[in-house]
Amino acid sequence: DRASALRLAAEVEERTAAHWRAALASTTGADRDQALAALVEYAVRATRWRKTAGQTPLTVPFPGRPT
């Protein structure tokens, strides 16, 4: 159903953000810039999906960090 799909979309974005967050520790220079940009992008998308789904809170303190 719609609600489940929206929750799943937010979860997929959050899990993808976690992979980019992990990449930050092992990258430098342009690669690190790319990883940081991707982390921010996926965190923003996850927030948008949570908003669309009516979930709260809309944001998390540290995107991509395990809960």
Side-chain angles (χ1 to χ4, degrees):
D1 65 350
R2 183 180 191 274
S4 296
L6 291 171
R7 283 192 304 272
L8 177 61
E11 185 175 335
V12 167
E13 300 292 356
E14 186 62 32
R15 288 183 182 202
T16 304
H19 289 282
W20 285 109
R21 181 183 173 95
L24 287 174
S26 61
T27 56
T28 59
D31 290 336
R32 185 175 175 85
D33 292 343
Q34 180 182 3
L36 180 58
L39 170 61
V40 170
E41 178 183 339
Y42 284 100
V44 168
R45 278 199 250 178
T47 299
R48 288 181 183 147
W49 284 121
R50 285 191 289 271
K51 182 178 181 182
T52 302
Q55 293 177 316
T56 55
L58 291 179
T59 61
V60 295
F62 301 101
R65 185 177 185 187
T67 55

